[in-house]
Amino acid sequence: MKWEWPTKVRLLDFPEGGESPERYRLLRRNMIILMILVTIFPLFFMAVVNYHQYQTSLKDEILNPLRVLVDKTRHSFELFLAERLSAVSFIASAYSFDQLADENTLNRIFTVTRQEFGGFVDLGLIDGNGVQVSYVGPYELKGKNYHEQSWFHEVQIRGSYISDVFMGYRKFPHIVIAIQKRNNEGRIWILRATIDTERFNDLIASMRLDPRSDAFLLNRSGIFQTPSKWYGGVLEPFPMPLPPFTNEATVLEEQDTQGRQILLAYTYFPHSPYILAVVKPRAEVLRAWTTLKTELFLVFLVSVILIFLVVFRLTNVMVRHLRESDERREAAFREMQHGHKLSSIGRLAAGVAHEINNPMAIINEKAGLMKDLIGYGADFPEKAKFLSLIDSILNSVHRCRSITHRLLGFARRMEVHIETLDLNEVIRETFSFLEKEALYRNLEIKMELAESLPRIASDRGQLQQLFLNLLNNAFAAVEDGGRISVTSWEHDIDTLAVSIQDNGCGMSPETIKHIFEPFFTTKKGSGTGLGLSITYGIAKRLGGDIQVQSEVGHGTTMTVYLPRKSAEDLQDSK
C-alpha cells in the first residue's frame, strides 16, 4: 500500500459504517500515527533529558580531574616560588648591608641556600643606586648598574619582585627574585637572586601527562615560560589568544592553530605573572562521553525501530480483526435479513399454495370426470383431440401440484422424520435417479466417498431432495461430457461434509449473493427459482449449512455441512 501523508489529518475522525478499504486504510493510518506519537514523543523527550543529564554529569566527572591537576600544579609552582622568595627575604632580614657586602659572607650564605633549597644560580647585593656591590655566582656581574632597569623601580615600589623568564646576560632561561630592605638609618639595599627555570620543567613533568597531552607556563603577555610540545619554545609567543582571567582552574573547548579540537585547562597565578595551561585533545578526553552518546543514540534508534515494527504489526492485527469482526457482523446481519425474507416468502408461498391447491383439486377432479365421460361415451369426430386437451389439463394440474408441493416444503409444511442413516448410502441412492442422464450425456461422475463415515441422525427424504437439487444444478451447469465430483468426509467430530463439484460455467460473485433467495433463477423461462432456496432451507432445518465456491468459467463447488446429531438433539444439548 502506497503511503500518502495526509495534508490535513484528523486523527480522531473515522468513517462510520461500510466495509470499504478506504475506511480501514484511514483507521490504520490514524492508529499508527496516534500510537507512534504517544510512544515516540515520551521516548524522545526522555532521551533528550538523559542526554543533557549524562552530558553534564559525565563532562564534570571527566573534566574535574583535569581542573584538580591544574590547580595542584599551580600550588606546587606557588610553593616553589614562595619558598625561594621567603629564603631571599630571610637572608635580607637576618644580615645587615655590611655583612652581605662582604663576599665571603655572601658566598657562605649562597652555598647554604643553594644546598637547602636548590635552583639558585647566583646571589647579589645592590645598593640604593642600583649598583651591585657584591655578587656570588658564575658570572662577573659585580659593579653592574641596574638603576635604569624596570625591575629595579618595581621592587622599590612593591618591596619584592618576581620576574618573567628571560635570557639576560646568562643566556639561559631564568627568573629573578628581588627583596628590598631598609635599615634604621634609612639605608636601602636590594638582595637579588637568580633562579634556574629547570625546576619549572620538573614541576610540569611531575604532572605525568599522557603523550597526547601538553602543559606549559605562560606569562601574562602570552610568552612561553616553559617549552610547549605543540606550540613553541621558551620566550616564543603563544599562537592563540590568551584565555580570560580567572583565579580558578577552568576548562575551555577550543580549536587550536592546527585545527584540532582541544580542551584548554588553565589558571592564572594570583601573586606571580604566570599562567599554567594544560592542553588535551577533546576526542581523547571525551572518548567515554562520545562512546556513551553513540550508545544512547543506538539504543534510541533501536527502540524507535522496534516501536515502529510493533506499532505497524499490532495495528495491522487490530485492524484485520476489526475488519473480520465487521464482516462477520455484516454477514450475520445479511443472514438474518435473508432468514426473515425466507420466512416471509415462506408464509406467503404457503398461503398461495394452499389457495391454489383447492381450485387445482377441483380442476383435476372435473378434468378427470370429463375424461371419463368422453372416454366412455360415444365416439364423435373431435373425441381424440378432446382427450388430448384433457390430458394437457391434467398434466398442467400435476405440474401445479408439484410446484405447490415444493412451496409447502419451502414453507416447512413438510414434516421431518429423523432416523440414523448412512450418508454415503443416501448419496448413492440419490445419484441413481440421475444415473441414466449422466450416461446419456456422457458425464464423468467421480465418487470419492469416505469409508467408515459415521452414521448421522437426519431425514432421508429431506437429504435426498437436498442432494437431488444440488446434483440437478451441477448437471445443468456442465456441458455434455463434463465432470462432476462428489466427495464426502468427516469435517470434525460433530460434522460431516459433502461437496459436489462441477467444471461447468460457474457463477459470478453477484449471482452467488442471490442464489439462495426464492424465485431467483438464471434459467430464464425454465426454472422456478425455488430449488436452491428449498435446498438451503432443508440444510438449515437439519442443523447444517451450505457454502458456495464458484468462478465464472471454472465451475462451482457446493459444500454441505451436516451435524451428526439431529437439529433437535443439538438444541437439547445446548
Side-chain angles (χ1 to χ4, degrees):
M1 180 183 66
K2 184 180 180 181
W3 180 270
E4 295 180 2
W5 188 258
T7 56
K8 187 177 182 181
V9 179
R10 295 180 177 178
L11 297 179
L12 300 179
D13 291 348
F14 298 99
E16 295 293 338
E19 300 177 13
S20 66
E22 179 67 14
R23 175 174 183 263
Y24 296 103
R25 190 186 69 80
L26 292 176
L27 180 63
R28 182 183 296 106
R29 182 203 67 185
N30 292 358
M31 289 179 65
I32 289 174
I33 293 175
L34 285 173
M35 293 177 70
I36 287 177
L37 284 178
V38 299
T39 52
I40 296 296
F41 180 75
L43 179 64
F44 176 77
F45 180 75
M46 186 177 67
V48 171
V49 171
N50 287 340
Y51 176 86
H52 286 288
Q53 286 181 339
Y54 278 119
Q55 184 183 37
T56 302
S57 60
L58 197 59
K59 273 192 173 181
D60 287 342
E61 188 176 341
I62 293 173
L63 299 183
N64 272 339
L66 192 57
R67 294 191 186 96
V68 171
L69 176 63
V70 170
D71 212 32
K72 288 175 64 177
T73 307
R74 186 195 68 180
H75 284 301
S76 298
F77 270 98
E78 289 178 333
L79 181 61
F80 172 80
L81 294 173
E83 284 179 344
R84 271 66 184 169
L85 186 63
S86 297
V88 175
S89 179
F90 174 77
I91 294 171
S93 301
Y95 296 92
S96 65
F97 178 83
D98 293 336
Q99 289 174 320
L100 295 175
D102 181 1
E103 288 192 347
N104 290 329
T105 304
L106 187 63
N107 184 49
R108 182 170 50 83
I109 294 171
F110 173 70
T111 302
V112 172
T113 304
R114 192 173 184 178
Q115 290 175 349
E116 295 297 327
F117 293 96
F120 282 87
V121 177
D122 56 21
L123 186 65
L125 179 66
I126 301 170
D127 63 15
N129 297 320
V131 177
Q132 188 155 254
V133 296
S134 64
Y135 172 80
V136 177
Y139 305 103
E140 293 295 334
L141 298 178
K142 184 176 180 181
K144 182 173 175 55
N145 194 331
Y146 295 98
H147 185 267
E148 299 298 330
Q149 295 191 10
S150 60
W151 69 267
F152 180 77
H153 298 283
E154 185 175 342
V155 73
Q156 285 187 323
I157 295 173
R158 297 184 175 178
S160 64
Y161 172 76
I162 299 176
S163 74
D164 296 340
V165 175
F166 64 101
M167 294 293 186
Y169 298 109
R170 297 161 182 82
K171 307 301 180 184
F172 73 94
H174 63 278
I175 64 171
V176 167
I177 294 177
I179 293 294
Q180 183 196 49
K181 285 296 178 182
R182 182 190 299 271
N183 60 13
N184 294 333
E185 292 78 21
R187 189 173 186 177
I188 297 174
W189 74 89
I190 297 173
L191 188 60
R192 182 178 186 271
T194 301
I195 308 296
D196 186 1
T197 57
E198 187 61 28
R199 291 290 297 170
F200 286 2
N201 297 332
D202 294 340
L203 290 174
I204 288 178
S206 67
M207 297 172 77
R208 300 185 182 280
L209 297 174
D210 60 80
R212 295 180 296 273
S213 302
D214 191 11
F216 45 83
L217 203 64
L218 299 170
N219 66 12
R220 300 196 179 189
S221 300
I223 303 300
F224 282 110
Q225 306 295 286
T226 60
S228 167
K229 188 189 302 182
W230 295 339
Y231 304 112
V234 177
L235 301 182
E236 291 182 4
F238 183 54
M240 293 188 291
L242 285 179
F245 176 81
T246 175
N247 283 327
E248 297 180 351
T250 305
V251 179
L252 297 179
E253 295 186 24
E254 300 280 354
Q255 181 177 1
D256 66 8
T257 54
Q258 300 173 20
R260 294 177 300 187
Q261 296 295 326
I262 61 169
L263 293 178
L264 175 63
Y266 72 97
T267 182
Y268 279 71
F269 287 45
H271 304 297
S272 306
Y274 303 127
I275 305 170
L276 176 63
V278 175
V279 175
K280 283 179 171 288
R282 184 177 182 277
E284 294 293 334
V285 177
L286 300 180
R287 176 176 296 175
W289 162 242
T290 305
T291 303
L292 178 61
K293 187 169 60 175
T294 304
E295 292 175 350
L296 283 175
F297 176 75
L298 289 177
V299 170
F300 177 76
L301 184 62
V302 171
S303 301
V304 169
I305 292 174
L306 287 177
I307 287 174
F308 268 85
L309 291 177
V310 171
V311 166
F312 273 90
R313 177 67 177 168
L314 187 60
T315 303
N316 286 335
V317 170
M318 292 174 64
V319 172
R320 187 178 71 249
H321 286 177
L322 181 62
R323 186 170 190 168
E324 291 174 353
S325 176
D326 288 347
E327 289 174 350
R328 286 195 295 270
R329 180 175 55 83
E330 191 68 22
F333 182 71
R334 284 199 300 267
E335 188 172 357
M336 184 180 65
Q337 285 183 320
H338 183 68
H340 283 295
K341 185 186 293 184
L342 289 177
S343 177
S344 300
I345 295 175
R347 288 193 295 271
L348 175 63
V352 171
H354 180 72
E355 295 298 328
I356 291 176
N357 271 341
N358 291 333
M360 284 296 107
I362 296 174
I363 293 172
N364 184 60
E365 183 182 350
K366 299 302 181 185
L369 180 59
M370 288 173 60
K371 184 178 180 180
D372 291 342
L373 292 175
I374 293 174
Y376 293 108
D379 293 337
F380 55 92
E382 300 294 334
K383 182 178 180 178
K385 185 175 181 181
F386 274 94
L387 289 174
S388 175
L389 292 174
I390 291 171
D391 286 338
S392 297
I393 293 172
L394 291 174
N395 289 335
S396 295
V397 170
H398 178 72
R399 176 173 170 77
C400 287
R401 279 183 173 177
S402 177
I403 293 174
T404 56
H405 180 75
R406 290 186 178 182
L407 286 173
L408 288 173
F410 175 75
R412 303 183 183 179
R413 293 291 178 85
M414 297 177 66
E415 296 183 356
V416 176
H417 301 284
I418 300 298
E419 58 180 313
T420 302
L421 49 85
D422 183 347
L423 186 61
N424 290 338
E425 181 182 340
V426 175
I427 295 172
R428 292 190 185 95
E429 288 176 359
T430 306
F431 177 71
S432 65
F433 300 145
L434 303 170
E435 197 169 7
K436 290 184 178 178
E437 182 180 350
L439 184 62
Y440 174 75
R441 295 179 56 189
N442 195 26
L443 299 179
E444 178 187 350
I445 307 298
K446 189 175 182 181
M447 289 284 186
E448 295 181 343
L449 306 180
E451 299 295 335
S452 65
L453 202 63
R455 298 172 71 82
I456 64 172
S458 191
D459 183 287
R460 179 182 297 274
Q462 300 273 329
L463 286 180
Q464 286 180 342
Q465 184 176 359
L466 184 150
F467 291 128
L468 185 61
N469 288 345
L470 294 181
L471 288 170
N472 274 327
N473 282 337
F475 275 52
V478 298
E479 300 289 341
D480 291 348
R483 184 178 68 254
I484 296 175
S485 299
V486 181
T487 308
S488 65
W489 70 93
E490 185 174 3
H491 182 68
D492 55 41
I493 192 170
D494 296 323
T495 310
L496 304 184
V498 178
S499 69
I500 299 174
Q501 181 180 16
D502 65 68
N503 63 345
C505 57
M507 293 181 286
S508 66
E510 185 63 24
T511 302
I512 295 175
K513 290 182 180 178
H514 303 286
I515 57 172
F516 295 128
E517 294 179 358
F519 307 114
F520 176 81
T521 179
T522 58
K523 304 171 187 175
K524 303 299 181 184
S526 60
T528 61
L530 292 173
L532 282 179
S533 62
I534 292 172
T535 303
Y536 184 81
I538 291 173
K540 288 295 183 182
R541 189 157 55 248
L542 297 177
D545 194 11
I546 297 179
Q547 292 185 358
V548 184
Q549 292 179 330
S550 184
E551 186 176 353
V552 176
H554 292 83
T556 302
T557 300
M558 306 288 286
T559 305
V560 182
Y561 296 95
L562 295 169
R564 293 182 59 183
K565 297 180 180 179
S566 65
E568 289 76 8
D569 292 339
L570 292 175
Q571 289 293 334
D572 294 341
S573 62
K574 293 178 180 177

